[in-house]
Amino acid sequence: MNLKQMAYLDDLTDLPNRKALDRHIEKTFARSKRHGHCFGIMFIDLDGFKNVNDTLGHDAGDQLLIEVASRLQDNLREEDVISRIGGDEFIVIVEESSKNELENIADRIIQSSSQPYSINKAEAKVSVSVGISLYPNDGETKEILLENADRAMYYAKNNGKNRFKFYTPDLMNIDPPKEGFIEKWRNTLHNSLFN
């Protein structure tokens, strides 16, 4: 693998990283605008990951992330793109998709991800919270769509976990209690471009 390829892959999972995802979203926007297609953004966050790190150690946590990434890929179409954006957070871009298709994909992801994992002969369990935003209904810029998917994920996480939630306008008042996701996104992209 050459250096250029490595610059666009996550070190741990070999999934596209934020920089690669950013490029892919730009192209997805261009295609969707040109052809009048919808596309979905899924923001996926693991539930219970900290507990695995705390009880089994960071190596086990890394192994778990690799396994989760593999299961996520198994439940997506070949043309869908999944990216690990840091920690235990993933983003999936589903092009030319309807709300119904996105529901089916989210269901499969939740079912698959919540099955037990065998890590170093120990059993580990996590689940996922998934937030979904749709272009163009939920926003016409990358930042707004990502923020709205993040809000929906935060709602799912705080209302039972192991579920998905589509963004709706009543979630506009939700501000996830962490460094602003978009701010973090911009900083990471800026740092990777200038380092």
Side-chain angles (χ1 to χ4, degrees):
M1 186 185 301
N2 65 36
L3 283 171
K4 191 172 179 198
Q5 285 173 302
M6 287 168 63
Y8 290 100
L9 293 178
D10 173 58
D11 292 345
L12 182 65
T13 61
D14 281 340
L15 292 175
N17 62 16
R18 282 179 191 232
K19 193 155 58 164
L21 180 68
D22 196 57
R23 284 187 161 193
H24 181 75
I25 293 177
E26 297 290 348
K27 289 176 182 170
T28 302
F29 261 106
R31 281 192 291 269
S32 299
K33 283 176 181 167
R34 193 164 57 244
H35 301 296
H37 293 149
C38 294
F39 72 87
I41 292 184
M42 293 184 171
F43 198 119
I44 300 171
D45 191 83
L46 300 192
D47 309 315
F49 178 67
K50 184 178 183 302
N51 187 46
V52 173
N53 259 346
D54 291 348
T55 57
L56 300 178
H58 287 284
D59 286 348
D62 285 351
Q63 191 55 48
L64 178 73
L65 288 170
I66 292 167
E67 297 271 339
V68 168
S70 172
R71 290 191 193 181
L72 291 173
Q73 283 181 300
D74 288 346
N75 286 288
L76 295 169
R77 306 170 309 179
E78 203 175 311
E79 64 269 27
D80 300 330
V81 169
I82 174 170
S83 167
R84 177 171 172 244
I85 55 162
D88 57 349
E89 294 177 326
F90 299 84
I91 283 180
V92 177
I93 308 296
V94 186
E95 285 195 59
E96 290 186 48
S97 53
S98 65
K99 193 167 181 181
N100 201 28
E101 283 175 306
L102 288 163
E103 280 178 11
N104 291 336
I105 293 169
D107 269 331
R108 289 201 306 269
I109 284 172
I110 287 166
Q111 292 299 321
S112 165
S113 302
S114 60
Q115 299 302 312
Y117 297 80
S118 179
I119 310 281
N120 305 334
K121 298 183 181 167
E123 185 177 279
K125 278 191 142 183
V126 292
S127 60
V128 294
S129 294
V130 184
I132 308 168
S133 64
L134 265 169
Y135 169 85
N137 299 14
D138 301 327
E140 296 200 14
T141 70
K142 172 179 61 188
E143 287 81 8
I144 290 172
L145 284 168
L146 287 165
E147 279 181 350
N148 287 342
D150 190 21
R151 284 190 176 99
M153 183 280 293
Y154 182 66
Y155 180 92
K157 196 176 255 310
N158 281 277
N159 287 272
K161 300 183 170 67
N162 200 32
R163 61 179 59 205
F164 68 85
K165 170 74 176 164
F166 279 91
Y167 175 77
T168 50
D170 57 311
L171 301 183
M172 196 63 215
N173 301 327
I174 291 179
D175 279 318
K178 54 186 175 183
E179 179 192 348
F181 168 68
I182 293 301
E183 208 50 47
K184 202 158 61 172
W185 173 276
R186 283 197 193 107
N187 289 342
T188 304
L189 284 174
H190 184 272
N191 292 339
S192 63
L193 291 173
F194 294 100
N195 286 341

